[in-house]
């Protein structure tokens, strides 16, 4: 470092020596020029790097390495701590759930358990709550009232209440999830306002939770104005199936609902509960501009084997413009069809150019009369070749 400032000392002499008055102005200018020249040299830059920048860089690197090691140690320690608490929680809940403890004993044991873990830490509370929810969701032998009691004795009902009252919609979703998994029926009042929420995720989860928690009939769905997605319809059907809910008495009135997704859900419910439709109801549904309603109507006729609707299905096929609906109609005709259906399908073979639809036409005829194509021929050799190739796949679906 002394090397760095060896050319600086003359300047100090110029400015701070008691004899500086005796130095001529020309000497002072020379010394100042020498000082300035030193700072412009490579030697000065090298000294700066050697004595300041390199030590500073080394100090930063060493500090970062120490922080990374400390961080790694902290996280590994935290992961191990979480594993230990998770195992301890699992063992504790297993002991509580599968033992004949009364409410008072359970409450006392929970208080003791809270002292054994860092329960005041949010991450610890979250871990314990998730374990309780996992037990309720995955262990079929669990008493739901007992799980709800454990949840309340840990004080988690207050945590869920804060989440549902939060302004953050993701927190609300989490609270709704808690109530639904725990089958916390008395909390439906908290959830119901969100059934008509603008946020589609919140609205969807609230609707599913209300259906899951409510013991009432499903009639309230007939007044539901928002669109019910296909995924939500499947969830609703699954919940209804598991709960063995009674089919709404006025389910037929749902067919005339302005909300097309409610109509589709009604049709799916009718399929699940084997509730048949009249020909007038079928005809009405086929007048819908909604493609999904018409498609589900074809599905209902096929699954419930409504043979009387055969003529209606053939007439509707001629009016269909949606390819998927035509294919569904042909699959339906293959199940409920008769000789008239075979003749109708036969009239379509040469006209139809779409191979997927042609495949279903040939499959429909073959299902109604498996011997028909043994003697059937068309004058056009190219068309005959296409039909024969399709027949190979119809008779052997494993062909590529």
């Amino acid at each position: 470092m002394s090397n760095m400032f060896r050319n600086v000392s003359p300047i100090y002499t110029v400015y701070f020596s008691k004899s500086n008055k005796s130095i001529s102005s020309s000497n002072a200018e020379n010394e100042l020029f020498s000082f300035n020249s030193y700072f412009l040299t490579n030697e000065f830059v090298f000294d700066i790097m050697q004595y300041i920048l390199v030590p500073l860089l080394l100090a930063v690197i060493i500090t970062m390495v120490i922080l990374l090691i400390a961080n790694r140690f902290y996280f590994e320690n935290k992961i191990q701590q979480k594993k230990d608490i998770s195992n301890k929680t699992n063992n504790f809940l297993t002991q509580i759930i599968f033992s004949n403890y009364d409410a008072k004993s359970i409450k006392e044991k929970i208080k003791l358990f809270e002292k054994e873990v860092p329960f005041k830490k949010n991450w610890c509370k979250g871990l314990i709550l998730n374990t309780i929810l996992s037990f309720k969701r995955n262990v079929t032998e669990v008493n739901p009232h007992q799980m709800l009691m454990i949840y309340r004795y840990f004080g988690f009902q207050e945590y869920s209440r804060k989440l549902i009252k939060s302004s953050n919609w993701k927190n609300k979703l989490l609270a709704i999830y808690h109530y639904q998994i725990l089958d916390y029926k008395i909390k439906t009042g908290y959830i119901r306002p969100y059934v008509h929420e603008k946020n589609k995720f919140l609205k969807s989860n609230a609707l599913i939770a209300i259906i899951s928690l409510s013991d009432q009939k499903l009639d309230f769905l007939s007044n539901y104005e928002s669109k019910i997605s296909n995924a939500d319809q499947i969830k609703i059907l699954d919940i209804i199936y598991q709960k063995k809910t009674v089919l709404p008495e006025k389910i037929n009135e749902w067919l005339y609902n302005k909300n097309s997704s409610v109509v589709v859900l009604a049709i799916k419910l009718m399929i699940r509960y084997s509730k048949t439709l009249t020909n007038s109801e079928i005809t009405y549904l086929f007048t819908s501009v909604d493609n999904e309603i018409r498609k589900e109507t074809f599905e209902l006729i096929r699954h419930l084997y409504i043979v009387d609707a055969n003529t209606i299905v053939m007439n509707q096929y001629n009016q269909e413009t949606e390819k998927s609906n035509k294919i569904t109609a042909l699959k339906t005709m293959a199940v409920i069809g008769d000789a008239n259906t075979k003749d109708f399908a036969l009239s379509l073979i040469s006209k139809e150019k779409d191979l997927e639809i042609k495949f279903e036409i040939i499959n429909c005829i073959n299902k109604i009369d498996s011997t028909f194509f043994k003697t059937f021929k068309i004058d056009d050799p190219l068309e005959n070749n296409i039909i024969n190739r399709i027949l190979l796949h119809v008779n052997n679906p494993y062909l590529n």
Side-chain angles (χ1 to χ4, degrees), residues 102 191 196 209 219 275 291 299 337 359 396:
D102 57 18
I191 303 171
H196 305 288
D219 293 320
K275 171 77 172 174
N291 291 328
E299 295 278 2
F359 178 94
N396 189 350

Side-chain angles (χ1 to χ4, degrees), residues 236-247:
I236 291 169
L237 290 170
D238 186 55
I239 291 169
I240 290 170
Y241 180 76
Q242 290 181 14
K243 294 177 66 176
K244 299 179 180 179
T245 306
V246 178
L247 189 69

